[in-house]
Amino acid sequence: PEITEPKEHPVVETISPAQVETPAPVMPEIEIDDTPVVAEAPLQIVTPLDGEVVTAFSMDQLVYNPTLQDWRTHDGVDISAAEGTAVLAACAGTVLAVEEDAMMGTTVILEHDGGYQTTYANLQEQPGVGAGEAVSAGQILGAVGCTAAAEAAQEPHLHFSVTKDGENMDPNEFLRSVS
C-alpha cells in the first residue's frame, strides 16, 4: 500500500462569544423634556350652602325678578337659607375681591385653578375673608344676608355664580362635573 503523508489541516482559531465584536445598536434620537413636573392636588368641590334653590341659573331664558318687577337672565342660583347661615368656599382658591356691589350687596369673588371663578353674593356685611387671602374648600367665607338690592323681595338666600374663562356657567354643572 502506498503511504500518504498526512494532510495539514488549517488551524481553526476558537473565539469565545465575549471576543466577538457586535456593532452597537443604533438608538433612536429622543427629545428630552426637562420641564419640571409639578404635582397637583385634586380639585375638591363642596356645596357652598345646603338649601332649596329658589331661583335657577338661566342665561338663555328670561326669569321674572319680583324685586325689579322685570324679566332678565339670572347668572347664578339663589339658595334659600336662614339669615346668618354659614357660606362655604366651593373649592380652594384665592379671594380675588370682597366688595359692596350696588345690586348684589356684599360679594366675595374667588379665583380657582383651571380658569374658574366663583361668586358669593347677598352676604352679611363684613365677610370673614379679605382680598388676596388663600382659602380651602369648605372654608367659611361669610354668612347669608339680605344685602342684595336687586333681590330684596326674596327671602334670605345666597346668590352663587360660576364662570369658566370669563363665561357664565351653570353652578350645578360646576358642582357635579368637577367634583
Side-chain angles (χ1 to χ4, degrees), residues 32-40:
I32 297 174
D33 181 4
D34 58 358
T35 305
V37 176
V38 178
E40 291 183 20

Side-chain angles (χ1 to χ4, degrees), residues 40-155:
E40 291 183 20
L43 190 59
Q44 180 184 6
I45 305 292
V46 298
T47 302
L49 179 69
D50 287 327
E52 178 186 352
V53 173
V54 291
T55 308
F57 172 82
S58 182
M59 292 304 293
D60 55 356
Q61 291 185 345
L62 300 176
V63 294
Y64 186 72
N65 181 310
T67 304
L68 302 174
Q69 298 180 347
D70 66 2
W71 293 85
R72 58 184 57 224
T73 60
H74 194 251
D75 71 351
V77 292
D78 293 340
I79 306 168
S80 176
E83 193 170 349
T85 303
V87 174
L88 310 177
C91 62
T94 303
V95 179
L96 188 61
V98 176
E99 56 194 30
E100 273 306 313
D101 183 277
M103 297 298 282
M104 297 309 297
T106 305
T107 302
V108 173
I109 303 168
L110 301 182
E111 188 168 49
H112 311 282
D113 290 341
Y116 291 99
Q117 282 187 0
T118 53
T119 301
Y120 310 78
N122 198 34
L123 300 175
Q124 288 183 342
E125 293 179 12
Q126 301 177 357
V129 294
E133 186 177 330
V135 296
S136 58
Q139 181 176 332
I140 296 174
L141 300 176
V144 173
C146 291
T147 58
E151 297 181 346
Q154 293 177 245
E155 58 195 56

